[in-house]
Amino acid sequence: QVQLVESGGGLVQAGGSLRLSCEASGDIFRVTHMGWYRQTPGEQRELVARWSSDIATKYADSVKGRFTISRDNVKNAVDLQMNNLKPDDTAVYYCYLGIGTYSGMRDYWGQGTQVTVSS
């Protein structure tokens, strides 16, 4: 059984910073990709940043130069450093990791963490 736990969301003023963290636990053989999506009410989930073992790291155009995705292979964790936050960054942020276990490969998702940026 694999579980993902997110942390780090909250309320911040425009121009401020937050760091989101997501750590996976369980019987994990390997992690092949990971990343962050975000979603606002009534909208589709939007890719923010992703890392994969076989393709280049990708960022949404709206966050390039402000957000940085990083990973900790020992902890099976992925972080998202968010700088110079804007009100448009307000959303629920979800992490995901592509994890291999005894049962095979699949994507696992975090529970979501609210980020609110005030103007």
Side-chain angles (χ1 to χ4, degrees):
Q1 191 78 337
V2 173
Q3 287 188 325
L4 268 61
V5 177
E6 294 186 34
S7 61
L11 173 64
V12 65
Q13 287 188 332
S17 298
L18 283 174
R19 188 176 184 88
L20 306 182
S21 295
C22 174
E23 185 168 339
S25 61
D27 293 326
I28 298 171
F29 283 159
R30 61 177 178 152
V31 177
T32 58
H33 54 275
M34 56 183 69
W36 294 87
Y37 277 74
R38 66 187 181 187
Q39 190 170 24
T40 54
E43 299 292 330
Q44 287 189 333
R45 200 169 286 192
E46 171 193 29
L47 175 68
V48 176
R50 72 171 183 219
W51 170 87
S52 174
S53 60
D54 58 354
I55 59 175
T57 299
K58 179 180 176 63
Y59 293 93
D61 288 342
S62 59
V63 307
K64 283 181 181 177
R66 301 188 296 122
F67 291 11
T68 303
I69 188 172
S70 60
R71 59 192 175 93
D72 184 327
N73 292 333
V74 174
K75 294 183 178 180
N76 293 316
V78 58
D79 288 356
L80 185 68
Q81 177 66 41
M82 305 185 294
N83 298 327
N84 190 21
L85 282 159
K86 304 176 180 180
D88 283 349
D89 295 319
T90 296
V92 177
Y93 284 70
Y94 298 90
C95 66
Y96 74 94
L97 282 81
I99 294 174
T101 68
Y102 287 107
S103 301
M105 287 292 302
R106 57 160 281 195
D107 285 348
Y108 291 82
W109 289 84
Q111 80 276 16
T113 186
Q114 177 71 46
V115 171
T116 303
V117 184
S118 63
S119 58

